[in-house]
Amino acid sequence: MPEPALQHTDVATAFNAIAPVFESRFENEVTAKIRGTIYESIRKAAPLGSSILDINCGIGIDALALAAEGYSVTGVDLSPGMIDQAKRRAAMHPELKVEFLVSSFEDLAPLEGRTFDVVLSNFAGLNCTDSLHAVFPRIAKLLHPRGKFLAVAMPKASLWEIFAGLSRLRPGSAFRRFARTVRATGFHQYSFDVHYHPLRRFLSASACWFDPVGIRALSLLSPPPHAQTFRNRFPGTSELLDKLDDHLCSLPVLRGMGDHYFVMLQRNAAAVSERLRHE
């Protein structure tokens, strides 16, 4: 496993490389639907005007959308290139309460002394680290006593990926997430290690600081964001799979087997206070 500083450099370099074209290359109707699901959960978790910290904000898509709804949003990202793009977008909307800072979610020193109502980690930012146990206490300390942490992460077992790989007689593709080391692709000539987190591991790492209040799979049977070709070729089948997902996504076992899973955690105020007292 690479040293954290080296991994940070790899991640930042890769995202710097694709920052100018991130939206055109990675955003589509599936990512928009997933973002809509997250926003609806935030509306239920925190009233307008609440403060939100987006810990891997990228080019600011979520941060700006939530600020436009009336939230006060701070976005941080390890990649200076992504933050530069976010600031450019924010400059076109000076009326919004939004700010962007360069910072790793494994550090967050620029935010010391501040607290938020909600912390968001969307689209697998947490899969850039193999040290979940070190991330959760930092998040807990930045949240108000009953604050919420909403995270979208990638598990090892993805039903869509397994079925898609086996249907093409490509077992290596079907089970690629189970490899000892997996490198990210799609960042020009750059890459970095990806760490897939089974739902059980994610919940275990967070248990000392948070209580789960909502869990569901994203793209369990329906085409995930990277399968837009399938969705275009088979719109009727894709629509049926979308409906099946709505019924199956929260079932035990299956909720941790989507292309991603979505977890809402609530800060356990008593547990956090007890742990901080002994530090």
Side-chain angles (χ1 to χ4, degrees), residues 62-93:
D62 293 327
L64 289 164
L66 291 166
E69 292 197 15
Y71 292 100
S72 176
V73 187
T74 298
V76 301
D77 199 280
L78 182 63
S79 162
M82 298 292 267
I83 288 295
D84 182 60
Q85 292 294 320
K87 288 181 176 179
R88 289 171 185 247
R89 296 161 70 96
M92 295 185 287
H93 303 279

Side-chain angles (χ1 to χ4, degrees), residues 189-250:
Q189 72 268 37
Y190 305 106
S191 188
F192 55 89
D193 285 345
V194 179
H195 308 279
Y196 293 100
H197 304 304
L199 178 60
R200 180 178 297 181
R201 179 194 299 170
F202 185 96
L203 295 176
S204 175
S206 67
C208 293
W209 305 90
F210 294 93
D211 298 317
V213 293
I215 304 170
R216 59 162 291 174
L218 297 169
S219 300
L220 177 66
L221 299 175
S222 63
H226 61 268
Q228 192 64 26
T229 300
F230 181 97
R231 189 172 288 274
N232 292 338
R233 289 183 61 191
F234 306 105
T237 301
S238 298
E239 185 176 353
L240 175 61
L241 293 174
D242 287 342
K243 292 178 180 178
L244 285 174
D245 265 16
D246 290 338
H247 291 289
L248 301 175
C249 66
S250 297

Side-chain angles (χ1 to χ4, degrees), residues 26-234:
F26 293 100
E27 291 298 305
N28 54 46
E29 63 183 274
V30 182
T31 59
K33 181 180 178 181
I34 291 173
R35 292 187 193 280
T37 298
I38 306 308
Y39 302 162
E40 180 61 29
S41 297
I42 289 176
R43 292 184 200 108
K44 294 177 180 178
L48 295 180
S50 298
S51 56
I52 298 175
L53 170 64
D54 185 353
I55 63 170
N56 43 270
C57 68
I59 62 172
I61 295 174
D62 293 327
L64 289 164
L66 291 166
E69 292 197 15
Y71 292 100
S72 176
V73 187
T74 298
V76 301
D77 199 280
L78 182 63
S79 162
M82 298 292 267
I83 288 295
D84 182 60
Q85 292 294 320
K87 288 181 176 179
R88 289 171 185 247
R89 296 161 70 96
M92 295 185 287
H93 303 279
E95 76 282 2
L96 300 182
K97 294 182 178 179
V98 62
E99 64 174 331
F100 294 103
L101 306 168
V102 176
S103 178
S104 164
F105 54 66
E106 291 182 303
D107 178 11
L108 297 174
L111 301 173
E112 186 174 354
R114 298 175 59 178
T115 54
F116 300 86
D117 299 300
V118 173
V119 174
L120 170 65
S121 175
N122 204 358
F123 283 116
L126 293 176
N127 292 102
C128 294
T129 181
D130 196 30
S131 302
L132 285 179
H133 64 281
V135 174
F136 288 113
R138 289 185 172 89
I139 300 304
K141 292 172 185 177
L142 287 170
L143 278 168
H144 291 154
R146 302 296 286 175
K148 302 290 198 308
F149 180 28
L150 284 71
V152 174
M154 293 186 293
K156 279 188 175 293
S158 162
L159 285 185
W160 170 272
E161 204 160 276
I162 290 171
F163 290 154
L166 293 179
S167 70
R168 298 188 181 103
L169 302 180
R170 297 176 182 172
S173 174
F175 300 102
R176 69 177 185 84
R177 297 189 186 194
F178 292 87
R180 185 179 183 87
T181 301
V182 182
R183 297 289 286 179
T185 59
F187 297 86
H188 301 316
Q189 72 268 37
Y190 305 106
S191 188
F192 55 89
D193 285 345
V194 179
H195 308 279
Y196 293 100
H197 304 304
L199 178 60
R200 180 178 297 181
R201 179 194 299 170
F202 185 96
L203 295 176
S204 175
S206 67
C208 293
W209 305 90
F210 294 93
D211 298 317
V213 293
I215 304 170
R216 59 162 291 174
L218 297 169
S219 300
L220 177 66
L221 299 175
S222 63
H226 61 268
Q228 192 64 26
T229 300
F230 181 97
R231 189 172 288 274
N232 292 338
R233 289 183 61 191
F234 306 105

Side-chain angles (χ1 to χ4, degrees), residues 140-141 143-145 208-209 267-279:
K141 292 172 185 177
L143 278 168
H144 291 154
C208 293
W209 305 90
R267 185 180 187 268
N268 186 321
V272 172
S273 297
E274 182 65 21
R275 285 185 164 269
L276 294 179
R277 191 177 300 120
H278 288 86
E279 286 189 356

